[in-house]
Amino acid sequence: MPKTIAAPPAVPSAVEIANLPLLTPFRSVTFPNPEASPLIQALLHEQELGNVVTLYQNREDTLRKELGTIINDAEKAEKEKAKEAKANTSSNKVANKKKDKPKLSAQVQKKIKGIETEIRDNDKLCSQYKQELLVYTQHTRGIFQSAYTKIALRLETQNNSKAIDALEESFSFFCPRQTIEALVNVNDGFGEHRDVWDDSQRVAYVREMCPVMRAHHRPLSVGLFSLPYIKKFHCTPDTPVIVEALLDELYQKTITDEMKIRLKDVTDDARLKVLRHCEEMLEKKTEVTTELVRKHYRKKSIRLHPDRNGEENRPIFEAFTDARDVLSDVQLRQVYVTQMLEVFSKIGPDDRTLEIAHVAWNKKHRPDVAEQAAKVQKGKKKDAPLQLEGVLDYTQIPRGVMVTNYRRNNSDIVKIAVYALQPKYEFYSKIKSIRVEMKSTTGEKRAFTLKRREIVEKLQLDCHRQAILEPLVTVAETSLNPGLWEVLAYIQLDPMGTDILNPDNHSGEIVTMKPSALMMFDVADRAHEKLVNQFETAEGRCKQVYAELSSVVNKLRSNSSAQNNSLSVLERYGTYHNVLVRARQKYNYLQQMTEQSGLKSDIYGRLGDLLHESRQLFSEMQDSANAIARKKENKCDAKRFKAYVATVLESNDPSTWMKNVSKAELCRNGGSPDPINRLYQLFIEGKGKYTLLFDSEMYKVAALREDLFSSKQCKELATRGEEVCLREREEEEE
């Protein structure tokens, strides 16, 4: 390979090739994974070889031009020397007799010989790559034929004639054959017929179309729906056919115009066929759009005609017809859509500015219609004052600042934003700085300033590299102390600014707008709100357990068993015990919330009195029951011990009892012969049909009594305490 050869140009990606318009009928074999498609991979390799061949051909042309330049310069120099020698010699006759070609110097001849050798080497390598390209194009053609047969058979079973026609058109372009007449001429009329394929057309199409499609993207339908003539023609998202046809036509026109520029001075037949194909596609899409506009007008005009809807709707029908006149004219339609979409890409969905641009377009391209509309508008507003529209009004009062808050990383963040002035395009072009000043009712002051460079850096660009103009400009995101804040914004503009994306202003002039409307913002104390919510929850649960405990106490008072100073097992452990312990827990939690929040609740005192009263009532009844039980034969110490522990749990501070209780005391209250194991069983297993309700604090204290329980028992009590604590916490959070 010659030493001076350059690297081959970049090959398009698999996705770019798969998105080519002519490959649309082959999407079933190219998507959803173009990188794994044999057809796409064949086209990619074909492009690589084609680029290398083109590179060697261009190198050969460069070398031949360089060789010609060297020879011409050398001959010119030798002629100049011969001319000088002729002028200086005295024997003109001898000089005139011999007019041989000027001899080149040895150095020049050596240089020429080196270039000729390089040309031969380059030509040899180019021939090798051409042969390799020829072989691979046959391989690519075979893959195309296989994919074509597979897709065509499937479409024939579906009876999809339109898809079959598109497939035929695509295949005939990628794999064109010579006509039979051309074959006869090639073989001097002897009638030897064989298929002759032109694969250079396929290679040229992929090579030329991929860069063009990479540089130009298809416009979005959102902008087209905002154009005045599209609205007047009653094109809505419910009827997107015309809009999609207009976008296809505009995109094809952009591709065709770009292709004309690229292939302006090209004489290669294959590349010229690509240009002709783009022109034919543009002509087809233009005809389709024109036909859709005609059908849409015929369908809608019947519904909008004044004879059917009344004379008051005549302006709507006239605007509809006026839009038809523009959209049915190919040249006007293409110019209108192209230029108005450029305006939309700069200013966004601003109806007022779009209407101004629409009127300006009519003045330039339809002066007669614009003049008539101006007369009608003038007749409607005879006494209206003269106003300059579409220009930023420096006397206006900006809207109030937008202040919102949100949670981030368990902290409250306040977002401060200023509304962009209208029109937004001029505001972003002229903005110099934004200053927001805040003052709370407690006298605290805060200020935030946003410079033009920071505003420009925050702007985002769309797919066409145009700035997306947001209605709000975020000035700061910060945290504020709780309280009521007054917020004002001060905006400075540069009246000479014209470029949105320029981070520096065009001049040193400053126009300070009037202060924005005063805005008040209340920053809430989240911590206090959380305490209040927890207090209200605790208060509600206390009211609930107060009602339950009152019902149980009244029932015990009226129960015959209570009158007989005895309690049944169900009343002792199944009803009264659970209600009383839960009431104590809710009472203690409400007491904690009252101390933290500083709030007061009447249910707190009433529940405390009821707890005291219920403990006295039950203590009396339990004493009577214990006296009766002692008189009975075969009394059960386990039941008495369980009753004793239950009485402790119902007391005001069972944790203190657990810290100080001794083995002897447990034995005295029915714990014999093994009071420690019996107490542990009540903690862990419950023993019996009705289990005692131990809270997490009891488990924690019991786990620390290593003098009573074994290390294994202490570990089990600690584990059970964590489970109970987690369950209590979940219950409080519900």
Side-chain angles (χ1 to χ4, degrees), residues 11-23:
V11 179
S13 66
V15 177
E16 289 177 344
I17 295 179
N19 285 322
L20 291 175
L22 270 180
L23 279 177

Side-chain angles (χ1 to χ4, degrees), residues 205-275:
Y205 176 80
V206 177
R207 180 182 301 159
E208 299 298 333
M209 282 295 293
C210 284
V212 174
M213 295 189 66
R214 190 186 307 127
H216 301 280
H217 301 277
R218 186 177 183 273
L220 300 177
S221 59
V222 178
L224 204 57
F225 280 119
S226 302
L227 303 187
Y229 271 141
I230 302 300
K231 291 182 178 180
K232 292 177 182 179
F233 201 55
H234 293 263
C235 295
T236 62
D238 297 332
T239 57
V241 181
I242 297 179
V243 172
E244 293 299 326
L246 286 169
L247 292 175
D248 290 342
E249 179 187 359
L250 176 61
Y251 188 42
Q252 186 61 43
K253 184 177 183 300
T254 304
I255 293 176
T256 305
D257 293 342
E258 181 67 21
M259 198 66 70
K260 287 179 180 179
I261 297 173
R262 287 175 62 88
L263 307 179
K264 182 179 180 181
D265 300 324
V266 171
T267 58
D268 183 17
D269 186 57
R271 299 169 76 183
L272 291 177
K273 286 180 181 178
V274 175
L275 177 59

Side-chain angles (χ1 to χ4, degrees), residues 502-692:
N502 185 6
D504 300 317
N505 292 106
H506 287 75
S507 68
E509 298 185 26
I510 298 177
V511 175
T512 302
M513 302 287 294
K514 295 180 180 178
S516 67
L518 180 64
M519 194 270 180
M520 305 295 291
F521 182 73
D522 186 16
V523 179
D525 188 349
R526 295 283 184 178
H528 182 69
E529 286 185 355
K530 184 177 180 180
L531 287 176
V532 171
N533 292 334
Q534 292 176 347
F535 173 81
E536 292 176 352
T537 302
E539 186 181 31
R541 289 174 179 171
C542 283
K543 291 179 180 179
Q544 182 180 358
V545 296
Y546 178 84
E548 294 177 1
L549 186 59
S550 298
S551 176
V552 170
V553 170
N554 294 332
K555 182 179 179 181
L556 290 175
R557 285 174 176 171
S558 61
N559 197 343
S560 60
S561 61
Q563 294 174 1
N564 296 330
N565 294 327
S566 65
L567 284 174
S568 66
V569 176
L570 176 62
E571 292 170 339
R572 178 66 183 87
Y573 303 113
T575 304
Y576 182 78
H577 170 75
N578 289 338
V579 174
L580 184 59
V581 173
R582 282 194 295 108
R584 176 183 58 78
Q585 292 175 346
K586 305 305 178 187
Y587 175 80
N588 292 339
Y589 183 68
L590 180 60
Q591 181 182 14
Q592 179 183 353
M593 289 296 101
T594 301
E595 294 174 353
Q596 293 181 3
S597 64
L599 301 176
K600 295 182 179 181
S601 174
D602 58 342
I603 193 64
Y604 176 76
R606 290 191 287 137
L607 181 59
D609 295 341
L610 183 61
L611 283 171
H612 180 70
E613 180 184 355
S614 60
R615 291 190 188 107
Q616 289 182 344
L617 174 63
F618 186 75
S619 178
E620 295 173 358
M621 299 176 65
Q622 188 63 48
D623 291 342
S624 301
N626 291 338
I628 296 174
R630 283 192 296 269
K631 293 179 182 179
K632 293 182 179 180
E633 296 179 356
N634 301 323
K635 56 185 176 180
C636 182
D637 290 336
K639 292 182 179 180
R640 187 162 63 87
F641 183 79
K642 186 175 184 179
Y644 165 70
V645 175
T647 304
V648 171
L649 292 175
E650 293 159 0
S651 65
N652 197 35
D653 192 7
S655 301
T656 304
W657 172 84
M658 190 65 235
K659 291 179 182 178
N660 303 321
V661 67
S662 62
K663 184 176 180 180
E665 183 179 353
L666 295 177
C667 291
R668 287 195 301 270
N669 290 278
S672 300
D674 190 2
I676 304 303
N677 187 47
R678 182 167 291 177
L679 179 61
Y680 176 79
Q681 289 177 353
L682 290 177
F683 269 103
I684 301 301
E685 301 174 1
K687 285 298 180 183
K689 186 177 180 181
Y690 302 99
T691 59
L692 300 182

Side-chain angles (χ1 to χ4, degrees), residues 5-57:
I5 196 72
V11 179
S13 66
V15 177
E16 289 177 344
I17 295 179
N19 285 322
L20 291 175
L22 270 180
L23 279 177
T24 302
F26 292 90
R27 290 182 71 87
S28 60
V29 296
T30 58
F31 281 92
N33 188 8
E35 289 80 2
S37 171
L39 180 61
I40 300 300
Q41 292 302 319
L43 290 173
L44 279 171
H45 193 59
E46 200 175 55
Q47 284 299 303
E48 293 175 356
L49 292 174
N51 288 343
V52 174
V53 171
T54 303
L55 197 64
Y56 278 107
Q57 290 175 343

Side-chain angles (χ1 to χ4, degrees), residues 334-346:
Q334 293 177 353
V335 173
Y336 178 78
V337 173
T338 303
Q339 295 181 354
M340 290 299 292
L341 282 181
E342 289 180 0
V343 176
F344 179 83
S345 65
K346 293 181 179 179

